[in-house]
Amino acid sequence: MLRFSFCAGAIGFGIQKSVIPGLREFLLDLSPAKVAASPVLKEFWEGAFNCRMKRKISDDSCDGTEDIETLQSPYTDTSQLRITNMVYKAVYAIAHAIHNAVCEDTNSTTKCDKFSRIESKQVLMQLKKVNFSQNGYDVSFDANGDPVAKYELVNWQKSENGSIEMVTVGQYDASLPVGQEFRISKNLTWDGWWHTSKKHKTN
């Protein structure tokens, strides 16, 4: 959708984005040997570099000089991760819940029985009690097991080179006091015209 200029000025809500520590380095740590061992990675590699991984050398063969760091694709762009950030937090939440189900804090030490058998009900019970911070975000659940509603207000704006990009212009945070949940912190573009919003303090 970002290819269509008529979308400039659109406003909507988006899941919070985040830079996940180490993810870009992990994604860029692909070698031809690793790629050849995985049918999925092989398909990605061949499509990204327009070459074929074959045993016999031919004109369209991948020659090993392909550099994934020079690739401009959604695969290497880790700056707009939204759904991925939710999965990242969910995995940590489940890990915390399992830890709390098999571990016991006594005085200043923690004892864990890694051989204990736990049931999904125990993990779910602990999951509802989870409360931690990860990568700058708080993770907790209410009595219904729902996370606190937090969203970014995003505005599709034209950049200097004429392309459309999603710009975060505000936030909605249901954990804040009544009347302070919604904040706009940047200028909005609406239908090609610039509108200046009142800037709210974020502290």
Side-chain angles (χ1 to χ4, degrees):
M1 292 296 289
L2 291 176
R3 292 176 297 162
F4 302 108
S5 59
F6 65 82
C7 291
I11 299 171
F13 287 95
I15 297 168
Q16 291 174 307
K17 67 181 177 183
S18 177
V19 175
I20 298 173
L23 179 61
R24 180 172 168 79
E25 292 75 17
F26 174 79
L27 294 175
L28 294 179
D29 187 33
L30 276 183
S31 64
K34 288 181 183 176
V35 171
S38 166
V40 174
L41 290 176
K42 182 180 174 185
E43 184 179 341
F44 160 72
W45 193 270
E46 291 180 340
F49 294 107
N50 195 27
C51 63
R52 295 285 170 261
M53 299 194 82
K54 300 175 182 176
R55 291 182 181 177
K56 294 180 180 178
I57 301 297
S58 63
D59 291 342
D60 63 346
S61 294
C62 303
D63 59 12
T65 61
E66 300 82 23
D67 185 358
I68 198 164
E69 291 198 37
T70 64
L71 194 62
Q72 297 297 320
S73 79
Y75 177 85
T76 57
D77 181 10
T78 57
S79 64
Q80 292 283 341
L81 298 180
R82 295 179 188 273
I83 301 295
T84 309
N85 186 37
M86 294 292 284
V87 173
Y88 176 75
K89 292 192 293 184
V91 169
Y92 267 92
I94 293 170
H96 276 270
I98 292 172
H99 173 85
N100 293 339
V102 300
C103 297
E104 198 174 309
D105 291 329
T106 52
N107 299 329
S108 59
T109 61
T110 302
K111 291 185 179 179
C112 302
D113 181 5
K114 62 182 179 180
F115 299 108
S116 67
R117 295 181 62 86
I118 56 173
E119 301 205 6
S120 56
K121 288 186 282 186
Q122 292 172 274
V123 176
L124 179 60
M125 186 176 71
Q126 292 297 332
L127 193 57
K128 290 182 178 181
K129 300 176 187 176
V130 159
N131 192 338
F132 65 95
S133 287
Q134 187 67 38
N135 198 25
Y137 293 101
D138 295 327
V139 179
S140 63
F141 303 93
D142 63 17
N144 298 319
D146 297 320
V148 176
K150 292 185 180 181
Y151 297 99
E152 291 181 355
L153 178 66
V154 293
N155 185 207
W156 292 16
Q157 298 182 358
K158 272 190 181 178
S159 63
E160 290 181 4
N161 65 9
S163 64
I164 305 294
E165 56 189 14
M166 279 196 299
V167 178
T168 300
V169 293
Q171 291 183 337
Y172 175 82
D173 185 346
S175 68
L176 295 174
V178 175
Q180 297 178 28
E181 304 99 328
F182 188 71
R183 294 173 293 165
I184 297 177
S185 55
K186 286 186 180 177
N187 292 338
L188 300 176
T189 298
W190 178 250
D191 200 19
W193 297 91
W194 286 96
H195 294 276
T196 305
S197 65
K198 290 182 180 178
K199 294 196 175 182
H200 298 266
K201 291 183 179 177
T202 55
N203 55 4

